[in-house]
Amino acid sequence: MKARFVVMALAVTFCAAVLSPAFGYGADVRERMIVRNLAPPQLDDSVRPVVARDVFAGAGVFGYTEGPLGYGWPLIAAGTDSLPYNVAMLDTSGCLLSRARIPTWGNWDSVFDVAGSGNQPMGETHNIASSKDSNKVCITWVRTDTSPMPGYYRLSNDAGATWGPIQELPRPQAYLADTLTSFHVSSLYPFYDSSNRLHVMAAVHPVVHDTAFIMPAEIWHWGPNNTPQWSRVCRAGCAPEHLGAPVGYNALYACRPSASDVGGHYYLNMVAVWEQFDSSDVDPATNLLRAGVYCSRGDENGEFWGSPYCVAQAGGHSQRFPSVASMGDDTTLFMYEVDLVAGFHVLGQGSATNNPIVVLKTWLSMNGPEPVSLDTLGGTTYDLQTCGPAHSMLVNAPGHGVHALWSYSSDTSRSFPDLNVRYNFYDFGMRCWNWTDPDFMQSGVNVFPYRAGAGCLAAEPATGAAVISACAPPLLPHVAVEERPDPQAAGLRFAGTIVRNVLFMPEATDHKPQAASSLLDIGGRKVLDLKSGANDVRALAPGVYFVREEPQAVSSRPQAVLKVVVMR
């Protein structure tokens, strides 16, 4: 059966023709080691950011405010006195980073550019954080159209009314010799501690001879007032020949770090958590590695970190997208998705499964986290994330409880008509989660009365109430996927989408002709007719272009579109 394709988005692979001779591994090993990223789809003018606010902590009764049309992927941070809220989001291209402010409930300020010319993320890499004790706000992002990828941040000291200049985040000294250090789409997570200090967690990976590799991946902590500013939390990887399968899209061997400061004993002040893949645990359904959840504890400044500790092992299924929150003492919560089939079902990787959303309660002793209980908050068939860094999805509201948020759907068809944002709350007084059901897919409550895609979660410091950002209608990721596995299926496929002099188009896989393709500029104008094999693009100006596969008269499938970045 011929495969049917949907819209194809950016697949940043940073492929090179050959690896450095120092590696000396075969093509199959090199293929598993290469970073593969997918950019978000383009929006249309019907999409907008929406924000929900609970009437009080744990009520589950929300009011709503809608932002400007044509923006998506909104992430929110709440001010010290609840309002104002600050929202970081992408424009309709899915490439340009903007911000808006909600000074009073229901009123949105004008939208302003964040990244400036030449520093745009060109994809979903942004994050936002605000202090609970002051008017400080931080926005971070990674630029994805160059290699190695640089990171940036901007700061506000007046609750987002004005912002300082764009600052490049210095890279940690992770690798030696001719190996460059790169940030990643899953890299940056900013947060402020209880002492009003900024911290940034980062995942980095190596780039050798213009080729980006998933390992050895490293998790680092950046504190602008520390000396040195960077401290390494962990290094993760294996011998390349022992890498049993790829990690999949938008991931490194260890990635999506986040962190929280914790109370309690003097030796326990900060906990970092991340997802990390197991080189020998391969899911036979998708031929992708399964991941586990790892953590490390650090001192109050994040300058010194203990040995990594596995919170949830990858045995038999994948544990992904972790978040961490303190309960105000040495008890720490880790929330994550139990992914029964490795990979992204929304992208056509594996069958749909009812994946539990769980919270592991631990007591953090000197020997590592000691499990206390495991609670299932809910479930979903929709992957919590397909791109971007870790988002704030588990938040402590001191004196009230702990908020939890996740993307929810029970659909198995990949159309997700019931996609929503689901919420639960651990009440400190009742010592239990508010909405649980024997059928975990029914646990939690929907936040929005219409379809919506999750952004992130914040809690008002003054009231403890949950504040939740989302995109409506939701943005479903698009990529070339096959309805049935068929390695011989013809279609538009690429080795990479960042090119310098030559753009390679796939050759026909049988006697049937390939669909004609064109290269369009960002305004949709044709600049080149493409042919199978090598296409000379040296005459084109550097920038963003799109490959469009022209529909064939005998085919009813939609055109495939791929973003291409031409570099010099």
Side-chain angles (χ1 to χ4, degrees):
M1 173 179 175
K2 288 288 183 181
R4 179 173 63 85
F5 289 82
V6 297
V7 178
M8 183 186 290
L10 176 62
V12 183
T13 60
F14 292 109
C15 291
V18 293
L19 276 176
S20 166
F23 282 86
Y25 298 106
D28 56 337
V29 174
R30 297 197 298 267
E31 182 71 13
R32 297 170 196 163
M33 292 178 61
I34 290 174
V35 171
R36 298 189 181 280
N37 298 329
L38 293 172
Q42 288 186 286
L43 317 185
D44 59 49
D45 290 338
S46 68
V47 175
R48 69 193 320 159
V50 292
V51 173
R53 179 174 64 176
D54 210 349
V55 296
F56 60 82
V61 179
F62 298 94
Y64 308 99
T65 180
E66 297 181 341
L69 288 168
Y71 292 89
W73 299 279
L75 302 178
I76 194 166
T80 305
D81 299 320
S82 301
L83 289 163
Y85 305 144
N86 282 278
V87 179
M89 54 196 177
L90 297 179
D91 76 335
T92 54
S93 70
C95 298
L96 309 182
L97 181 59
S98 303
R99 61 177 174 85
R101 191 168 177 262
I102 309 175
T104 58
W105 181 249
N107 298 308
W108 293 64
D109 282 349
S110 299
V111 176
F112 293 93
D113 174 70
V114 171
S117 177
N119 301 312
Q120 295 291 348
M122 309 301 289
E124 184 189 357
T125 68
H126 58 293
N127 231 327
I128 189 170
S130 60
S131 172
K132 301 179 181 65
D133 303 300
S134 74
N135 289 324
K136 294 181 178 180
V137 189
C138 175
I139 295 177
T140 61
W141 69 97
V142 172
R143 179 183 168 188
T144 62
D145 64 343
T146 187
S147 179
M149 296 181 184
Y152 298 92
Y153 66 100
R154 289 188 75 171
L155 303 175
S156 173
N157 292 316
D158 54 9
T162 61
W163 290 80
I166 298 169
Q167 301 185 66
E168 184 171 353
L169 190 65
R171 293 184 179 92
Q173 297 297 316
Y175 309 105
L176 302 176
D178 60 349
T179 303
L180 303 178
T181 300
S182 178
F183 294 114
H184 183 252
V185 298
S186 67
S187 277
L188 301 183
Y189 182 89
F191 70 102
Y192 288 89
D193 65 18
S194 56
S195 298
N196 200 30
R197 294 172 297 198
L198 174 65
H199 305 265
V200 177
M201 303 302 300
V204 299
H205 64 94
V207 176
V208 181
H209 298 170
D210 296 327
T211 303
F213 298 100
I214 63 169
M215 64 177 195
E218 295 194 351
I219 306 297
W220 286 75
H221 168 274
W222 182 74
N225 298 318
N226 291 347
T227 305
Q229 292 183 327
W230 285 104
S231 54
R232 188 167 68 182
V233 179
C234 84
R235 169 175 277 209
C238 66
E241 64 269 23
H242 295 158
L243 189 66
V247 299
Y249 293 125
N250 303 330
L252 305 174
Y253 196 87
C255 58
R256 290 191 174 86
S258 59
S260 173
D261 61 340
V262 296
H265 299 157
Y266 69 92
Y267 57 79
L268 189 62
N269 299 100
M270 194 175 295
V271 175
V273 65
W274 62 94
E275 61 181 19
Q276 181 172 317
F277 291 84
D278 185 332
S279 64
S280 61
D281 195 341
V282 180
D283 192 320
T286 57
N287 193 37
L288 294 172
L289 293 183
R290 297 182 175 116
V293 175
Y294 284 73
C295 76
S296 178
R297 68 181 190 199
D299 65 358
E300 62 179 341
N301 298 319
E303 293 182 280
F304 303 99
W305 294 87
S307 299
Y309 187 90
C310 183
V311 174
Q313 291 185 339
H317 40 255
S318 210
Q319 326 277 9
R320 300 208 60 184
F321 313 113
S323 297
V324 60
S326 169
M327 296 186 71
D329 53 19
D330 286 346
T331 304
T332 301
L333 302 180
F334 298 95
M335 172 179 155
Y336 51 93
E337 175 188 357
V338 181
D339 191 3
L340 302 185
V341 176
F344 296 137
H345 165 62
V346 67
L347 300 181
Q349 296 173 326
S351 59
T353 52
N354 292 339
N355 296 329
I357 307 299
V358 302
V359 168
L360 176 66
K361 182 187 293 186
T362 66
W363 182 72
L364 288 172
S365 69
M366 288 293 292
N367 297 322
E370 298 181 4
V372 175
S373 63
L374 182 68
D375 296 322
T376 301
L377 306 187
T380 185
T381 61
Y382 188 85
D383 303 291
L384 296 196
Q385 278 184 253
T386 55
C387 192
H391 296 154
S392 177
M393 304 299 253
L394 187 71
V395 175
N396 179 25
H400 301 279
V402 177
H403 305 282
L405 190 76
W406 65 95
S407 297
Y408 170 80
S409 177
S410 60
D411 180 64
T412 60
S413 68
R414 293 213 304 270
S415 59
F416 305 105
D418 60 343
L419 186 61
N420 210 305
V421 182
R422 192 152 285 201
Y423 167 77
N424 216 326
F425 180 75
Y426 183 88
D427 190 306
F428 285 159
M430 300 296 294
R431 297 187 178 180
C432 65
W433 294 93
N434 277 0
W435 301 281
T436 58
D437 190 278
D439 178 1
F440 65 84
M441 291 293 290
Q442 303 302 316
S443 295
V445 294
N446 281 349
V447 174
F448 294 94
Y450 40 73
R451 293 180 74 228
C456 75
L457 168 69
E460 294 184 341
T463 68
V467 181
I468 296 163
S469 64
C471 185
L475 302 170
L476 300 182
H478 297 290
V479 65
V481 294
E482 297 176 4
E483 291 186 338
R484 295 185 180 180
D486 182 3
Q488 301 302 319
L492 187 61
R493 295 181 179 273
F494 286 83
T497 55
I498 290 185
V499 300
R500 286 177 170 80
N501 298 319
V502 178
L503 172 63
F504 286 94
M505 296 294 293
E507 302 286 349
T509 57
D510 54 25
H511 65 280
K512 297 180 180 180
Q514 288 286 92
S517 299
S518 302
L519 188 65
L520 312 180
D521 65 16
I522 200 166
R525 294 176 292 271
K526 181 188 293 187
V527 296
L528 191 64
D529 289 318
L530 300 175
K531 62 183 180 179
S532 297
N535 292 267
D536 189 346
V537 295
R538 288 176 296 180
L540 298 180
V544 177
Y545 296 85
F546 297 91
V547 175
R548 183 184 65 194
E549 181 178 340
E550 303 294 348
Q552 295 175 297
V554 296
S555 175
S556 61
R557 68 177 173 86
Q559 306 168 244
V561 177
L562 181 75
K563 183 184 292 181
V564 174
V565 179
V566 175
M567 298 175 58
R568 294 289 181 263

